[in-house]
Amino acid sequence: MIIIPKHVKNLSPYKAGKPIEELAREKGLKKIVKLASNENPLGPSPKAIEAIANHINSLHRYSSPKTLRLVNTIAEKYNKLPEEIIAASGSDSLIQYIVSTFSVEGDEVLSSEGTFIGWYVSIDKYDRKSINVPLNNYHIDLNGILERITGKTRIIYLANPNNPTGTMFTKSEFENFMSRVPKEVLVILDEAYTIYAEDIPGYPNGLLYNMENLIVLRTLSKAYGLAGLRAGFAVGPAYLIQELYKMRLPFEPNSLAQEAAIASFNDDVFLKETIRMNKLSLNMMKDKFDEIGIRYIPTSANFYLLLFPDEEFAVRFNEECLNRGLILRHVKNFMIPNGIRINSGTKEETEFALKIIEEVYFILLDN
Ligand SMILES: Cc1ncc(COP(=O)(O)O)c(C=O)c1O
């Protein structure tokens, strides 16, 4: 018998939002809307689809090991040096590479309660000692995190806007924070939702900083609509990025993901429509939540965190929505047991979702 390491035995696998086909099979429903994984409801950019079609016949070839065209495209777009950039199969995989590259078993890492589940999963996988500071009114408590830094702290993880709360910290809060973090502590700034937030006054764009202890993460999974392909990238000082290259699996992201990413960066029309649709859907949701009295946290991203009286209410709410064909995300595993997250959809999806939400909410209030 092989002895399984204790920390692996204790792991719970990443729990994603329920796939549409699975719910359809389980419940025999005709119509299903999924607003559970913060995906882009418009689908991928038509330019990405075209790029994939153009490269499909080269699938028998390995891609460029340093993903040169993609890295150069990112460098040009964000005015960075190619040595400051590494791409991989999603920012989730970059989080794992960063943890395994810059810390060892038993090191302390710091973050927040109520943040991205992928961070918690990575930390447990690598058996790091993790400290998670409670949220302050559903915002990441930067001062609280500063107070918990010790000589053993190696990495701090911050998502801005944060998932699942949708809240953000400002440029001045971030700069004050960075000025007080020791230079030996690496800060990961995860900007998965930055495209939805960058027009908000005071939002700090991480790619405008050049700091020796800062790595910024971006993903193609959200506004760019490529979640299924798996592509993300990290930007940081070259001396850190070169170490990540040693740990990354060769040929990540896959060749089609690279081509689709390059094409998506060139589709401003698609991005504009994505932002327009997001605002429209979130406004429809806000109006309905205000009308029927569901509590939600104001958002800077493409989703709302809904808050219910307790965990049991949230579980039942989620279940009743599923029964009617609406997939949402209960965020207990993000350490918010009474929370349900809903992301923006098309107008039609949003109307469908709000009808179900209203119906279910009043049924549960009456019981
Ligand atoms: C804050 C945050 N970071 C990273 C990710 C994962 O992105 P990717 O699909 O690139 O792994 C998500 C997805 O939900 C997220 O919310």
Side-chain angles (χ1 to χ4, degrees):
M1 273 277 269
I2 305 297
I3 298 171
I4 313 289
K6 198 165 142 235
H7 77 278
V8 176
K9 270 255 180 231
N10 292 339
L11 282 179
S12 14
Y14 183 97
K15 256 185 111 191
K18 202 182 237 328
I20 292 176
E21 310 74 53
E22 201 177 303
L23 185 67
R25 214 175 34 245
E26 278 173 21
K27 313 251 181 205
L29 290 162
K30 282 216 181 67
K31 177 165 174 148
I32 293 178
V33 166
K34 181 186 177 204
L35 301 176
S37 301
N38 304 342
E39 297 151 344
N40 188 333
L42 299 178
S45 140
K47 289 195 176 178
I49 296 172
E50 195 186 331
I52 290 171
N54 288 340
H55 288 85
I56 204 105
N57 289 328
S58 311
L59 279 180
H60 58 304
R61 300 281 179 212
Y62 287 106
S63 58
S64 142
K66 279 224 153 184
T67 58
L68 281 180
R69 283 184 53 241
L70 176 57
V71 163
N72 288 337
T73 304
I74 297 167
E76 205 168 302
K77 184 173 170 63
Y78 294 109
N79 200 19
K80 294 282 174 187
L81 299 171
E83 310 83 272
E84 294 170 328
I85 297 159
I86 183 170
S89 298
S91 45
D92 224 342
S93 77
L94 282 159
I95 291 174
Q96 295 196 22
Y97 292 140
I98 293 170
V99 171
S100 57
T101 305
F102 301 115
S103 65
V104 295
E105 206 181 307
D107 275 348
E108 273 180 26
V109 296
L110 256 178
S111 188
S112 176
E113 289 180 7
T115 194
F116 176 47
I117 188 174
W119 168 252
Y120 302 134
V121 172
S122 298
I123 288 312
D124 291 346
K125 265 187 203 166
Y126 290 100
D127 208 13
R128 305 300 189 249
K129 183 164 182 277
S130 115
I131 295 161
N132 295 306
V133 175
L135 290 166
N136 181 0
N137 194 21
Y138 294 93
H139 284 70
I140 291 180
D141 182 358
L142 293 178
N143 288 327
I145 291 178
L146 283 171
E147 281 166 19
R148 299 301 300 270
I149 296 176
T150 70
K152 289 189 190 149
T153 309
R154 291 285 160 271
I155 302 175
I156 298 174
Y157 171 84
L158 305 173
N160 197 40
N162 185 37
N163 174 15
T165 59
T167 52
M168 61 167 240
F169 46 79
T170 63
K171 187 169 184 288
S172 60
E173 287 165 340
F174 177 64
E175 288 175 3
N176 174 50
F177 175 83
M178 288 306 292
S179 72
R180 292 164 65 196
V181 172
K183 296 289 175 279
E184 306 74 49
V185 177
L186 174 63
V187 175
I188 304 174
L189 180 61
D190 184 341
E191 296 191 330
Y193 302 98
T194 202
I195 285 168
Y196 302 104
E198 57 196 2
D199 288 344
I200 299 173
Y203 177 76
N205 178 345
L207 296 185
L208 297 178
Y209 297 96
N210 291 302
M211 295 181 183
E212 65 187 276
N213 61 336
L214 177 68
I215 293 183
V216 178
L217 298 182
R218 295 278 178 106
T219 178
L220 277 288
S221 297
K222 308 299 176 184
Y224 287 106
L226 296 177
L229 268 187
R230 315 304 300 127
F233 61 96
V235 180
Y239 83 98
L240 296 178
I241 298 297
Q242 76 184 19
E243 302 306 321
L244 286 172
Y245 270 106
K246 297 178 192 167
M247 299 295 274
R248 190 194 64 175
L249 288 174
F251 311 111
E252 275 192 42
N254 68 70
S255 55
L256 294 186
Q258 289 183 45
E259 295 304 333
I262 292 168
S264 299
F265 284 136
N266 284 322
D267 197 345
D268 289 342
V269 175
F270 176 77
L271 219 52
K272 265 205 187 110
E273 179 57 13
T274 295
I275 290 163
R276 190 192 70 82
M277 184 58 70
N278 183 51
K279 283 191 182 140
L280 180 101
S281 174
L282 291 181
N283 280 337
M284 288 167 70
M285 289 184 184
K286 182 179 174 313
D287 288 349
K288 180 54 80 179
F289 300 151
D290 285 339
E291 180 196 323
I292 63 178
I294 288 189
R295 189 174 164 215
Y296 61 91
I297 303 299
T299 185
S300 306
N302 66 336
F303 53 84
Y304 273 118
L305 173 66
L306 310 182
L307 294 167
F308 294 106
D310 53 31
E311 178 178 344
E312 195 202 331
F313 196 112
V315 169
R316 286 169 61 215
F317 186 87
N318 197 38
E319 206 45 51
E320 289 301 331
C321 288
L322 282 175
N323 287 340
R324 290 161 175 77
L326 175 62
I327 310 179
L328 304 176
R329 187 80 188 266
H330 180 208
V331 290
K332 181 182 178 178
N333 293 337
F334 294 64
M335 300 195 198
I336 305 184
N338 63 329
I340 298 279
R341 196 188 61 202
I342 176 170
N343 64 260
S344 59
T346 61
K347 187 161 179 280
E348 201 247 328
E349 285 173 332
T350 309
E351 279 162 356
F352 178 82
L354 290 175
K355 218 165 142 242
I356 292 177
I357 286 174
E358 180 168 16
E359 181 189 331
V360 168
Y361 186 57
F362 285 120
I363 290 174
L364 294 187
L365 279 187
D366 282 348
N367 282 295

